[in-house]
Amino acid sequence: MALHRRDPPEAVVRSLLTAIGLFTVIPVRPFEVDRSAARRAMAAFPWLGLLLGGAAGLLLVGAGALGSPLVGVVAALALLAGVTGALHLDGVADTADGLGSRKPAAEALEIMRRSDIGPMGVVTLVFVLLADFAALLTIPWDWTGAAVLACAVMVSRAAVMVASVSTIGARERGFGALFVGVTGRGAALVNVAAVAVVVALLGWLTGGLASTIAFPLAGAVAAVVAWLWARHLRRRLGGWTGDTFGSLIEVSQAAFLVAAALSVSSLQPLLASM
């Protein structure tokens, strides 16, 4: 796990537990929620994603084998939503409501702050989940599917870790404000490089040459989509919030899954015929 190159094992475990406490509903020992905790949690965020995605991937394969692919996909997506308290799904819905209002940034942010979800948020939420659902049904039903899901969840959290390098926040207070600017460029670079290695390795171990090509390709697509989405959010809303961080996770995760599904299904028969 590449958090910081000189972190001792106990610091790595502490960072991971902090991330679990902040980004999931899993109870951990109480700790002070401050900028220091946010920095630790963000460093571990991609690796928490790998653990969560791996668990969902195992459920995907297991439930699919016992029931049907449909059951496996629903169970895996439900696990991710449940263990995160639907935090990121709520973020993408709120962000869609704010952007869909077409109002100036301050008014859009106020709409996003409300507890209810409007029509734009509902529609966006449905299509994000449908994209995840359709992509996972398209991927071959073996360990490749589990690895794709694990990588997608990891890469989406890495996107937020990179975004947290930015020091531009849309609000001075709030949960999201804790993470604005907490990650150094060096730490982000080390973690992104490690994530890329894991993506390629999981592709090779589960799907051979086709997945070794397809997984990094999907990661590149997700990175481009994340960059474009992040740039739009900063320009439109003036900076980051907890909701926009959540939307970045869901958008980049869907991008990885769709790109992986398309590339794996295309490359496998092509390479087999060569």
Side-chain angles (χ1 to χ4, degrees):
M1 181 183 296
L3 298 172
H4 299 284
R5 285 173 289 182
R6 298 181 180 179
D7 277 353
E10 59 270 21
V12 172
V13 173
R14 185 185 181 199
S15 295
L16 188 57
L17 288 175
T18 304
I20 291 172
L22 288 176
F23 301 124
T24 76
V25 297
I26 301 171
V28 298
R29 180 179 297 179
F31 56 87
E32 187 72 23
V33 179
D34 54 15
R35 293 279 289 181
S36 178
R39 185 175 297 108
R40 294 194 305 271
M42 195 54 70
F45 206 15
W47 312 108
L48 172 61
L50 180 61
L51 292 177
L52 296 179
L58 290 175
L59 183 59
L60 178 80
V61 174
L66 293 174
S68 70
L70 183 64
V71 172
V73 170
V74 171
L77 293 178
L79 175 64
L80 288 175
V83 78
T84 59
L87 179 67
H88 315 309
L89 290 170
D90 178 70
V92 74
D94 286 343
T95 300
D97 280 335
L99 295 177
S101 70
R102 301 184 182 181
K103 294 183 180 296
E107 294 180 58
L109 289 169
E110 186 58 35
I111 290 171
M112 291 164 58
R113 192 192 296 270
R114 299 172 186 169
S115 59
D116 59 327
I117 298 179
M120 185 64 74
V122 172
V123 170
T124 300
L125 195 57
V126 168
F127 277 104
V128 165
L129 289 172
L130 279 177
D132 292 349
F133 180 82
L136 288 171
L137 277 182
T138 305
I139 297 167
W141 273 89
D142 51 25
W143 290 109
T144 303
V148 165
L149 184 54
C151 289
V153 180
M154 174 178 62
V155 167
S156 67
R157 274 62 178 177
V160 169
M161 180 205 63
V162 172
S164 70
V165 173
S166 171
T167 57
I168 304 173
R171 298 190 182 106
E172 294 183 1
R173 298 180 181 180
F175 186 67
L178 273 175
F179 303 97
V180 174
V182 298
T183 303
R185 294 183 183 274
L189 183 61
V190 170
N191 275 284
V192 167
V195 165
V197 170
V198 172
V199 167
L201 182 61
L202 284 177
W204 173 254
L205 291 175
T206 60
L209 181 58
S211 293
T212 306
I213 298 171
F215 280 32
L217 179 60
V221 170
V224 171
V225 170
W227 179 78
L228 291 172
W229 183 240
R231 185 178 68 167
H232 176 65
L233 291 173
R234 290 195 304 268
R235 288 181 174 180
R236 178 67 176 80
L237 299 173
W240 290 104
T241 71
D243 285 331
T244 57
F245 279 138
S247 75
L248 183 61
I249 286 175
E250 293 298 334
V251 168
S252 55
Q253 178 177 296
F256 187 99
L257 289 173
V258 171
L262 294 175
S263 54
V264 168
S265 60
S266 300
L267 285 170
Q268 283 188 337
L270 177 63
L271 293 175
S273 65
M274 295 176 64

